[in-house]
Amino acid sequence: MKKTLEKRIIFFAFTLLFLTILANSGMDIVGFRRDYVNALVLRSYSLGTSMKNSVEKVLALGLELADIAGLSQRCRELVQGNPDIAYCVIADLDGAPLFLNDPAFQSLKFGPINRSISSKPGQQINVIGKDKLFYDTVIPIMSPDGKMVANVHVGFEEKMVAGKVEAMIVRSIFVLIISFIIAFSLVVLFVKRSIMQPISSLLKGLNKISKGAFDTRIQEVPVYEFNELAKNINFMSQSLKSREEEIQKNYLDLEKTNVELHSSYLRLERLSVELERSEELYKSLMEDASDAIVVIGNDETVKMVNKMAEDFFGYSSREIGGLPLTKLLLLLNINDIPRIHNLFKDAARGMHVDEEIRFVKKEGTLVVGRLHASSIKSDGEHLVQAIFRDVTKEREIVRNLEKSAEDLLRLNKMKDSFLGLASHELKTPLTVIMGYSELILSDMVGMVDKTVLEMVENIANAAGRLDTIIKDMVDVSMIDEKRLQLKIEEVNLNRLIEISVNELRFFFSLRKQEIDLRLDETIPIIKGDSYRLIQLLSNVLNNAIKFTPDGGTITVSTSAKYLLRSKKPDESDHMPPVVNIGKEHHLYVEVTVEDTGIGIDREEQVRIFEKFYEVGNIEEHSTGKVAFRGKGTGLGLAIAKGIVEMHGGDIWVESQGYNPDSFPGSVFHILLPLKQVIGDGTIDYLNLL
């Protein structure tokens, strides 16, 4: 173990030192190469700039570049004074050399560029050449009129940079080896003296303690952490010695406990006698229980039945007792005996069984029972206790309720069918009546007696009211059948509210009611069907007019709300949901219509949105559209709810209750999403921000 730990530490130190020094040397080499290249580039750029300035001064005197003498000699002097510089070439704009320090660079192509690098903004540095690569610094020469006439190319060979780097690498390797040997030697010396020697001392002491020499004491070691460990080991050995003494003492206590255990055994026998008495009490309780109880043994035979079981099954305990479970099930004429038999097996395995069964009593009566079976333990034997309860009457009541629900559902479908059929059949003759009435009132006024004309006008008015009712019936039918099509466009809800209010302005004036608009002009544009939204607002406003007394006030407000919205799929619909937006915050526009009317009972605040439902007595039905407390067809709010839900929103009413004396009023809330969402309206508004 000692050698293994020592080798691991030395190997780890070797690897860490080697990687550290290697990484440091590598970064030094990379930095040296970068700095050396930058220095040569800076020198090349400086020399090229000097050459450029000299040439531009001569060009300013009016000479042409080709007529300037001594430029090649100037390039040679520049290269000779800087051994690191390979060439100085003045080339035309196509890259052809005009003046150069050495004819050997005549074939060097300055046009093709391997790659372009730039160490500073405004500098152009290229890597050129094929067999030999050169770092080429390009400085443009400008004519006196500002045009570029040539380029000064000053460069150095990449091989020279590589040579410098190789020399740097050799020197770094030498330094790496010397530094590594020194550092590694120090690490090995530290490991042996400060780690392995203390661990060796600790291992020797622990070996002695493990053999039972609890008096062993480990001497102090020079390392603080190991010294603390040695102190703890010494403390542990002292604790082990103390525990050994305690074990000896506990052994004596164990003998004493054995005597006490014998006394407990005697008490247990007395408790066993009391338990037998408890079993007798259990049997007594079972006999007097109000439910039928049957106990099945391990061998699947009937061990016990109570009095209620005799009455429940119609058989005496002598007839049932001792029967195998399968014969009991056959005797009771139970259907699906294998399944019921498996239920008793599940109960024997500890599962709780709750099942409904049907059987026939001895006198032939069919009984529905509720079976509760569970496992019990008695005298080391696992039994199954089966409790039967008569639920025949309950099932009969449930069947009657289910039949009533089916009848109601069938009647509701018949009502919807009649609604669609009646609206369709009435629409055609009503159109004929309205057409002929309009023809008589417009084109045949002079041909008809005045009395007949008044009668035709009354017919036209009545037909108009009937047409409104039929349109509402058609709309309700289309909403129920999800056939109502929306024409989606961007709409300003405030303007739609103003249009709806203006259409009803005559009725507000007729009832002497005040309309107060509190429209928030900062609400966003929403997407929806303008015609249907106006129909929605008109129905809600018309409802407020009818149930607000003369001289009352109706307030319409708009605002923007952020809601946490959760889209739930409709379980009744087998089609996949149109949207599934999860639970997110969405922007809604809220419209509130608040009145000072008679209010609505809390029990009726949900039902008012049902079809044909009107609050109050049917005797109060009025043909007037806005008569106070007048009753209509009960379709307006149902249509409003359908339109809101088709836009992906919701509508509800809040009121303190119905009181025609104190006028508590009502507030209708309409929520419409910023973007129109097609869905079934099952949206859960979990949080209002």
Side-chain angles (χ1 to χ4, degrees), residues 19 46 109 140-141 325 543:
L19 293 178
S46 177
K109 301 297 182 180
I141 299 175
L325 178 60
N543 183 80

Side-chain angles (χ1 to χ4, degrees), residues 325-326 329-331 333-343:
L325 178 60
T326 52
L329 299 179
L330 288 171
L331 183 65
N333 198 17
I334 293 178
N335 295 327
D336 198 2
I337 292 179
R339 185 178 66 86
I340 303 300
H341 187 263
N342 289 332
L343 291 178

Side-chain angles (χ1 to χ4, degrees), residues 282 286 291-297 301-310 312-313 320-323 325 328 332 344 371-374 376 383-388:
Y282 166 75
M286 189 184 73
D291 293 328
I293 301 176
V294 178
V295 178
I296 308 298
T301 59
V302 179
K303 297 293 185 182
M304 188 184 305
V305 293
N306 65 348
K307 294 180 180 179
M308 183 56 68
E310 296 178 354
F312 189 61
F313 298 129
I320 298 176
L323 285 178
L325 178 60
L328 175 62
L332 297 176
F344 277 89
L371 167 63
H372 296 273
S374 58
I376 60 174
L383 308 175
V384 175
Q385 178 179 268
I387 301 175
F388 297 87

